Amino acid sequence: MDTPPTGAVDSVLVADKYGKSRVRLMKLVRRADRHNLKEITLEILFQGDFASCYEAGDNSKILPTDTIKNTVYVLARKHEIVAIEEFAQCLIEHFLNNNPQVSEVRVEMTEHLWSRINSTAFTRASGKRTAVVTGTRDGMTIDAGIGDLLILRSAGSGFEGYIKDQYTTLPETSDRIFQTALLATWRYKSRSLNFNGHWERIRETILDTFATHPSRSVQHTLHAIGKQVLASFPEVVEIQLTMPNKHALLVDLSPFGLDNPNEIFLPTDEPSGYIEAKLVRR
């Protein structure tokens, strides 16, 4: 069979995006009484009128991705970074105002959290703060979140009454270790909020609900967390939660003549249960 000549296939470009990923930024603000530290990883993606670059090799509408990276550092120097959601909006406004060929900018940020030891010393904190802000000339959507939040409870969690078929070996339990690496993403209905305050209080709500909810399954507690966040924060219109079940397996000590009253476990995260759900405000 003859190979068709290059370009002979009838095709159309239906979607495209480009940008810069894994942009690393650390900003240190040196105040007289203390230093403030922010560490952020960014991805910035453009959508717009770029077909001529793909189809004809015409780069006249392409802002180099190296320029995108440099813009992050310049704007970080010019602007105070109080909340990552606000800095994302600043970047989006700059790119849209200066690039008419760009119709949409998506900025994804992960803030690597540092806790203060004293005025000029820090230690890496648990979990990550996230934000995904998407902007066009008609408006913006702002999603905030938490990632890699390792949490565990040692009481008040069970798993009973599930389907048992010929391959089921898992015993029922009313008292188990419940451990997960929680990922939460929620959407705000406004672009002008105290983002830092909201993030802190939503995190506290997630932790309090996880710690106190009488859990009959991971799904049960995930749903309770989502409901509580929506009930407590009218500015949040939806929330998505992922809670992989990091198992702690009871070790059989009977070969050694010992009992095991739920004290000795083998922690394992592979394989793990995967539980995810999204709740929206009615």
Side-chain angles (χ1 to χ4, degrees):
M1 181 181 294
D2 293 335
T3 302
T6 301
V9 177
D10 187 18
S11 64
V12 60
L13 181 70
V14 296
D16 66 88
K17 62 181 67 173
Y18 88 96
K20 199 73 164 180
S21 65
R22 300 293 298 169
V23 179
R24 302 295 300 275
L25 166 67
M26 180 177 284
K27 180 169 184 177
L28 181 65
V29 178
R30 301 174 183 270
R31 303 189 185 278
D33 59 337
R34 70 187 189 280
H35 291 173
N36 293 334
L37 182 68
K38 288 276 189 184
E39 183 182 354
I40 306 167
T41 300
L42 304 89
E43 179 179 77
I44 301 171
L45 296 177
F46 293 167
Q47 291 189 33
D49 180 14
F50 307 121
S52 60
C53 175
Y54 290 91
E55 296 171 346
D58 176 5
N59 296 326
S60 60
K61 295 182 179 180
I62 297 297
L63 184 71
T65 65
D66 190 65
T67 305
I68 297 173
K69 175 205 68 179
N70 293 341
T71 303
V72 171
Y73 298 132
V74 171
L75 294 188
R77 178 64 182 91
K78 289 182 175 181
H79 298 274
E80 184 177 10
I81 304 177
V82 177
I84 56 175
E85 295 88 348
E86 294 170 350
F87 186 49
Q89 293 182 67
C90 176
L91 289 166
I92 289 170
E93 289 171 350
H94 169 87
F95 288 124
L96 289 176
N97 289 339
N98 291 280
N99 296 275
Q101 78 281 14
V102 175
S103 59
E104 178 183 289
V105 182
R106 182 183 187 271
V107 178
E108 181 173 350
M109 292 191 180
T110 298
E111 181 178 354
H112 310 280
L113 302 172
W114 290 93
S115 296
R116 187 180 299 279
I117 299 174
N118 61 25
S119 60
T120 59
F122 305 85
T123 182
R124 179 59 63 86
S126 171
K128 299 173 182 177
R129 178 173 173 176
T130 63
V132 178
V133 182
T134 303
T136 68
R137 290 176 179 81
D138 296 324
M140 295 197 192
T141 60
I142 300 175
D143 296 331
I146 298 171
D148 296 334
L149 183 62
L150 299 176
I151 46 180
L152 180 152
R153 58 184 295 186
S154 57
S157 174
F159 188 50
E160 300 172 289
Y162 46 82
I163 294 173
K164 302 174 187 67
D165 66 12
Q166 65 270 35
Y167 305 125
T168 302
T169 59
L170 183 71
E172 293 191 352
T173 179
S174 59
D175 183 16
R176 66 171 181 169
I177 289 178
F178 181 0
Q179 180 181 195
T180 187
L182 181 141
L183 170 65
T185 303
W186 56 88
R187 176 162 294 180
Y188 292 118
K189 66 180 179 181
S190 171
R191 58 177 292 188
S192 300
L193 293 172
N194 177 358
F195 291 109
N196 289 345
H198 275 77
W199 188 87
E200 291 286 353
R201 292 195 298 275
I202 291 172
R203 181 181 184 275
E204 291 173 3
T205 299
I206 290 171
L207 293 177
D208 289 345
T209 307
F210 173 81
T212 59
H213 176 249
S215 179
R216 301 182 65 182
S217 66
V218 178
Q219 291 91 332
H220 190 212
T221 297
L222 182 154
H223 187 261
I225 290 172
K227 285 190 66 176
Q228 189 60 49
V229 170
L230 291 177
S232 303
F233 299 93
E235 301 85 359
V236 175
V237 297
E238 64 183 46
I239 181 169
Q240 181 159 326
L241 293 147
T242 302
M243 295 175 65
N245 192 5
K246 306 290 187 179
H247 301 293
L249 307 177
L250 196 67
V251 177
D252 180 10
L253 298 177
S254 60
F256 312 104
L258 295 172
D259 65 352
N260 188 359
N262 268 8
E263 291 184 357
I264 307 301
F265 297 88
L266 170 64
T268 178
D269 58 4
E270 294 181 351
S272 63
Y274 185 88
I275 294 88
E276 182 178 89
K278 180 178 181 179
L279 285 76
V280 300
R281 190 179 299 281
R282 289 182 187 269

